[in-house]
Amino acid sequence: MPPKPPSTPAPSQTPSLTAGTGVSSSASGILHAPGIPRPPNAQSYPSTPTTPGGPHVGIGGASTASAGAGGTVGSGTVTHTTPGNIGGTPSNTQSTYTQADLNRIVLEYLLKKGYSKTEQMLRMESSNAMGGTPSPPSANNDAKTSQGTLLKSTTDYPQLYIRAYVSLRDWIETSLDLFKPELRKLLFPIFVHTFFYLIQKPDTNSPPDTSLARKFFDTYSDDHSILHGHDLQLLSGLTLPEHLQENETAKLYRQNKYRLNISRTTFDLLLHFLDENERNGGPVTIRLINQYIETNVIPSRPDRNDARNQTLGDDEGIPGHITGRETKFNQQTIRLGKFPMDERMIREVELRLKEEDSRSQQEHSELGVVPGSKTLMQEFQELHKQEPEADAPVRDILPLPPFNGADVEAEIAAVKDARSRLNIGPIQASLPSVCMYTFHNTYDGLNCLEFSEDSTLVAGGFADSYVKVWSLKGEKLQSVVKGSTPSPSKRLVGHAGPVYGASFSPDNRYLLTCSDDKSARLWSMDTYTALVSYKGHNHPVWDVTFSPNGHYFATASHDQTARLWSCDHIYPLRIFAGHISDVDCVTFHPNSTYVLTGSSDKSCRMWDIAKGTPVRVMLSHHAPVSSICVSPDGRTLASGADDGSIILWDLGTGKQIKTMRGHDRNTSVYSLSFSREGTVLVSAGADCSVRVWNVKGGSTLPMSADGVVGGITAAVSGTTASSGAADSDKVVSSVIPNGVVTTATGTAQSVSAASQKQRASMIGRPAPVVATADQMAAFMTKKTPVYKIMFTRRNLCLAGGAFMGTS
């Protein structure tokens, strides 16, 4: 889909305080905070001045009370009078407490309450009172020993470790979206080592089956189940300290440092938080980071294009350890076979097709012509095999309205198109024909394009809150409303914000659109008026699509959810929540029982409509996902990203098949489409190109160094009736700067790399990237980003975009 404008953050994305750090750090990423020994070469600072006359109130904010009834804090021995029996003679028994005993009691109380700074100040005060001289940190071995003892006492309470993790987790979730991904990667190693510590220091007041370690694991392990589910499964059985010495995964985490890359800005924010959060275990987190995590501080700010990626890079995590993060999650059973057709509809279609075949045979016999192709009945039986596939879904799982005459007519038309379909693919080494529609005079206001299933209509959504519909056949559009005047295009007005997505129903009678006004609207292509407004999203809706059966549709929104709707209900039937950023694109599986989404969090998800839960998570993109498409057989998913890459996925296993590159770097892939055989994929992007890809393997066609082999264009007015190959008066030839004369439809033509570099310099773009062997061809437009591309039912490729002018 074309790029979406910036929007106001969702309510859940509460900005965090980004004050100065107040804590020193080294380039190697080692953290330092009060109570933590500094490296020997670190700069020393003088101790905080003490106030004579008793304990001092530290930054922790709690004042120290007297040691006991009648007791005083000072040098020497403190005598405490113990009262005797009530009503009797007071006892002369006296308990003698030394200064060290009283200090120990008060220090234990302060430590229990979490007043770590006050405790530290009291230690320094008592050291002066006992005749000692406080020394700066790291000044001598005695000071180091004292600090080491303080560190151990400060971080030796299981509850403090739990409080430290919860505090860090809550702070990360309330941080700005720009910093969340980097901070979230830190949570898992902190969680693991907190769990290890709780196993080593069990809560002696609880039986083994309700230990703190088990409660902690059960409560917070779900935070990491998707990315680290495999490791969590291996660690879930740990209950005793002996298990830590036997479990291979535990030994791996304890004996190796967990590598993380973090930007300087995010690192400074983390230091500031840990320094200001001592009462809730800041020193505990610092200790775990220093001991078990190797932070590589990058001297830069987080990149907004990478701000939503919380997956580990190739050089992150434990070296040589594969987390298996999505393996278990993607092992859920799914059914990818074709959705079974209604038995009554099958009989009705077969009856009509037999009549068509009989009529055709009679005409051929009268003309003395021998039919050279399959009959319609044979084509229908190939499309809908009598024996259902082993993994086909049950028909009852998806409630559908009864079929009608329009459904039968649509199926017959689909069978006729299938019989007349062109066979393309790498085996025949034949490239698809592409018809490109260029929209002029849109003034940068065209946001999206959509072609109808029968290739007769095209709709465009504009920033001025309206939708415009043209006929691809060159005919004037006529409304069934009495008194309406036929016109080359129809303008649909109703939205209260820019229109970002559109989708035609399979029978071409309805059009769905979505907008910045948080709604989706259903329009009639008979009357060209709005029928229903669907409201439910809390933020702009980026994409909308009809299901293959035409009864359901799905929307994707800035509120980080996708939603399933029925045309006859104004409220959503399912809310698919799980992405951690915008859901940018959405599509249905060919059997209509699954919804697939692509998000700015750089992931794709597959959702079960019946359950409303995700069944596949695919994590390999390094940029926000801008387009997705499922192959006709329902086995393969193609996803395009904002960095110009395209990834093919096996939906059965959720694993990546391969990555294909050819679009310019840092340019979005706006649209994807599979051929009817599923062997060829076409893509359209912001680099003003349409590219053809071999799904099954590499290409053997000759091409230049950058993979570009030709170009095509056709002109369609953005303000008058739109037409392409159907209207010869509107089809124009044009000369692209590579010297190739192009027409409305064309095939690949080889050009030299030098001419391509010259073309790139003429239009002010960097030289294209070297294409992978999967690229079969590339068709370049003339300064026209291609918003939509689609294979028709006869394997003709339609593409459309808005001319950007000379700016």
Side-chain angles (χ1 to χ4, degrees):
M1 58 177 290
K4 56 183 181 292
S7 300
T8 306
S12 60
Q13 303 164 357
T14 307
S16 62
L17 180 64
T18 57
T21 62
V23 183
S24 62
S25 62
S26 63
S28 61
I30 299 178
L31 311 181
H32 306 289
I36 305 295
R38 299 174 59 84
N41 59 349
Q43 181 181 358
S44 299
Y45 296 92
S47 301
T48 306
T50 60
T51 303
H56 180 71
V57 179
I59 301 178
S63 60
T64 57
S66 59
T72 58
V73 179
S75 59
T77 303
V78 178
T79 302
H80 177 67
T81 303
T82 304
N85 297 329
I86 298 177
T89 305
S91 173
N92 293 328
T93 304
Q94 292 182 342
S95 299
T96 302
Y97 292 94
T98 64
Q99 177 65 37
D101 293 335
L102 291 176
N103 288 347
R104 178 178 55 80
I105 294 172
V106 175
L107 289 173
E108 289 179 354
Y109 172 81
L110 293 175
L111 183 60
K112 183 177 180 181
K113 295 298 183 181
Y115 302 137
S116 56
K117 287 193 175 182
T118 306
E119 177 207 17
Q120 185 179 5
M121 294 299 298
L122 179 57
R123 285 183 183 275
M124 298 174 62
E125 294 275 349
S126 61
S127 177
N128 290 335
M130 295 296 292
T133 304
S135 302
S138 302
N140 50 50
N141 293 335
D142 293 337
K144 293 178 182 179
T145 303
S146 175
Q147 286 187 346
T149 304
L150 175 61
L151 172 62
K152 182 177 180 180
S153 63
T154 304
T155 62
D156 204 29
Y157 285 84
Q159 289 289 354
L160 188 60
Y161 272 73
I162 297 177
R163 191 161 67 244
Y165 174 82
V166 174
S167 176
L168 178 64
R169 172 179 174 265
D170 293 343
W171 175 71
I172 290 175
E173 291 306 315
T174 57
S175 299
L176 289 174
D177 284 351
L178 187 64
F179 307 107
K180 273 185 184 180
E182 289 185 325
L183 293 172
R184 277 175 171 155
K185 291 189 291 188
L186 181 69
L187 266 183
F188 181 68
I190 297 296
F191 168 83
V192 169
H193 290 289
T194 300
F195 178 55
F196 291 167
Y197 173 83
L198 296 177
I199 292 177
Q200 292 177 310
K201 302 285 185 179
D203 184 7
T204 57
N205 297 325
S206 302
D209 59 339
T210 58
S211 63
L212 273 180
R214 176 50 50 193
K215 290 180 179 178
F216 175 78
F217 187 89
D218 293 342
T219 303
Y220 300 107
S221 60
D222 288 343
D223 296 345
H224 317 283
S225 59
I226 293 181
L227 296 178
H228 305 279
H230 182 67
D231 286 356
L232 290 176
Q233 182 183 12
L234 298 176
L235 298 175
S236 60
L238 303 181
T239 55
L240 300 175
E242 293 78 11
H243 295 167
L244 298 178
Q245 308 299 328
E246 301 170 356
N247 187 279
E248 294 297 329
T249 305
K251 290 193 294 184
L252 188 68
Y253 276 91
R254 298 182 72 196
Q255 296 172 4
N256 298 273
K257 283 199 170 185
Y258 196 92
R259 295 179 180 176
L260 286 177
N261 298 327
I262 187 170
S263 64
R264 169 59 63 184
T265 305
T266 308
F267 186 71
D268 290 342
L269 289 175
L270 176 64
L271 291 179
H272 176 73
F273 167 75
L274 296 177
D275 180 45
E276 296 295 325
N277 202 48
E278 284 193 68
R279 294 179 58 185
N280 288 325
V284 168
T285 305
I286 293 176
R287 174 185 176 183
L288 293 177
I289 292 176
N290 285 335
Q291 188 171 356
Y292 298 109
I293 301 177
E294 179 183 334
T295 54
N296 177 29
V297 181
I298 303 172
S300 63
R301 292 176 59 87
D303 188 355
R304 290 189 179 274
N305 293 329
D306 295 335
R308 298 171 175 91
N309 182 22
Q310 61 176 340
T311 60
L312 296 177
D314 296 336
D315 58 342
E316 293 183 300
I318 295 179
H321 176 56
I322 301 176
T323 62
R325 52 199 176 205
E326 70 271 13
T327 302
K328 180 181 177 182
F329 189 86
N330 289 342
Q331 290 177 351
Q332 301 179 66
T333 302
I334 57 176
R335 295 183 174 273
L336 302 178
K338 291 184 178 180
F339 191 79
M341 185 180 291
D342 191 315
E343 293 293 337
R344 293 177 300 169
M345 182 173 174
I346 292 178
R347 291 193 295 269
E348 182 71 21
V349 173
E350 288 179 344
L351 181 61
R352 293 285 304 276
L353 292 179
K354 288 179 181 178
E355 295 176 357
E356 292 277 350
D357 287 336
S358 176
R359 189 181 306 111
S360 177
Q361 290 177 1
Q362 185 177 359
E363 292 176 355
H364 288 157
S365 61
E366 292 176 355
L367 296 175
V369 178
V370 178
S373 60
K374 293 180 292 187
T375 64
L376 294 176
M377 189 64 185
Q378 292 173 340
E379 187 70 35
F380 177 74
Q381 290 176 349
E382 289 186 7
L383 292 176
H384 303 278
K385 296 179 180 179
Q386 298 299 325
E387 296 182 1
E389 299 179 72
D391 61 347
V394 181
R395 182 171 176 81
D396 296 339
I397 199 173
L398 190 65
L400 292 173
F403 74 94
N404 52 35
D407 297 327
V408 175
E409 293 294 338
E411 184 62 29
I412 293 175
V415 172
K416 291 180 178 180
D417 287 335
R419 190 177 63 170
S420 304
R421 182 176 60 204
L422 297 174
N423 292 323
I424 61 173
I427 297 179
Q428 293 84 2
S430 57
L431 295 173
S433 296
V434 183
C435 181
M436 175 69 193
Y437 293 91
T438 301
F439 291 77
H440 295 273
N441 304 324
T442 60
Y443 306 105
D444 294 338
L446 182 62
N447 292 333
C448 63
L449 282 174
E450 182 68 17
F451 295 99
S452 63
E453 184 71 16
D454 62 356
S455 311
T456 60
L457 297 174
V458 61
F462 287 83
D464 292 339
S465 307
Y466 66 89
V467 182
K468 206 166 187 179
V469 181
W470 295 267
S471 171
L472 295 180
K473 300 166 69 175
E475 301 173 351
K476 291 187 176 182
L477 301 178
Q478 174 68 56
S479 171
V480 297
V481 178
K482 292 183 179 180
S484 61
T485 304
S487 59
S489 64
K490 291 293 184 180
R491 188 181 178 118
L492 311 180
V493 179
H495 281 293
V499 180
Y500 297 129
S503 177
F504 282 99
S505 63
D507 60 4
N508 307 301
R509 295 184 59 196
Y510 302 98
L511 173 68
L512 272 171
T513 57
C514 61
S515 169
D516 188 80
D517 62 8
K518 312 174 189 178
S519 73
R521 287 180 179 263
L522 182 69
W523 308 83
S524 170
M525 293 295 97
D526 295 326
T527 62
Y528 299 100
T529 56
L531 301 177
V532 189
S533 177
Y534 302 95
K535 298 180 180 179
H537 283 288
N538 302 320
H539 288 274
V541 185
W542 300 132
D543 196 17
V544 63
T545 184
F546 261 111
S547 66
N549 56 50
H551 184 64
Y552 299 96
F553 67 93
T555 54
S557 172
H558 175 62
D559 61 11
Q560 304 179 7
T561 67
R563 306 195 182 206
L564 177 71
W565 309 74
S566 173
C567 291
D568 54 1
H569 291 78
I570 62 173
Y571 53 83
L573 306 180
R574 294 284 187 273
I575 298 178
F576 304 120
H579 285 290
I580 60 172
S581 188
D582 296 28
V583 183
D584 296 324
C585 48
V586 61
T587 190
F588 276 87
H589 190 270
N591 64 18
S592 299
T593 59
Y594 299 99
V595 168
L596 294 102
T597 55
S599 170
S600 290
D601 63 10
K602 305 178 185 178
S603 72
C604 299
R605 294 190 179 222
M606 184 176 180
W607 308 82
D608 189 331
I609 287 180
K611 300 177 181 178
T613 57
V615 293
R616 291 291 183 271
V617 175
M618 289 147 282
L619 308 163
S620 283
H621 277 291
H622 299 287
V625 180
S626 54
S627 57
I628 55 176
C629 180
V630 184
S631 62
D633 63 1
R635 310 289 176 177
T636 307
L637 171 70
S639 58
D642 283 350
D643 60 358
S645 65
I646 300 171
I647 297 181
L648 295 182
W649 309 86
D650 181 358
L651 288 179
T653 61
K655 295 181 179 179
Q656 176 181 345
I657 299 175
K658 61 180 177 179
T659 300
M660 303 183 295
R661 298 186 182 278
H663 286 281
D664 289 353
R665 296 182 181 89
N666 300 323
T667 58
S668 299
V669 179
Y670 288 155
S671 181
L672 297 166
S673 181
F674 279 95
S675 66
R676 293 297 165 170
E677 301 87 359
T679 57
V680 173
L681 175 74
V682 289
S683 62
D687 60 351
C688 305
S689 71
V690 171
R691 298 177 186 266
V692 185
W693 308 91
N694 183 357
V695 173
K696 303 301 181 182
S699 173
T700 58
L701 296 179
M703 62 177 61
S704 63
D706 57 4
V708 181
V709 294
I712 59 171
T713 187
V716 180
S717 172
T719 54
T720 61
S722 257
S723 58
D727 188 350
S728 59
D729 294 337
K730 296 296 182 180
V731 178
V732 299
S733 298
S734 61
V735 180
I736 295 180
N738 60 9
V740 178
V741 179
T742 59
T743 57
T745 58
T747 56
Q749 303 179 38
S750 60
V751 292
S752 65
S755 64
Q756 290 301 316
K757 292 180 180 179
Q758 181 183 7
R759 175 191 56 78
S761 62
M762 291 178 65
I763 59 179
R765 293 200 312 267
V769 299
V770 176
T772 58
D774 312 276
Q775 180 172 297
M776 300 170 60
F779 302 103
M780 305 303 299
T781 66
K782 193 173 183 179
K783 298 183 181 180
T784 303
V786 186
Y787 291 168
K788 180 66 179 181
I789 193 163
M790 184 192 78
F791 268 110
T792 67
R793 292 188 297 213
R794 299 190 179 188
N795 268 345
L796 171 66
C797 193
L798 302 181
F803 183 66
M804 290 289 108
T806 58
S807 58

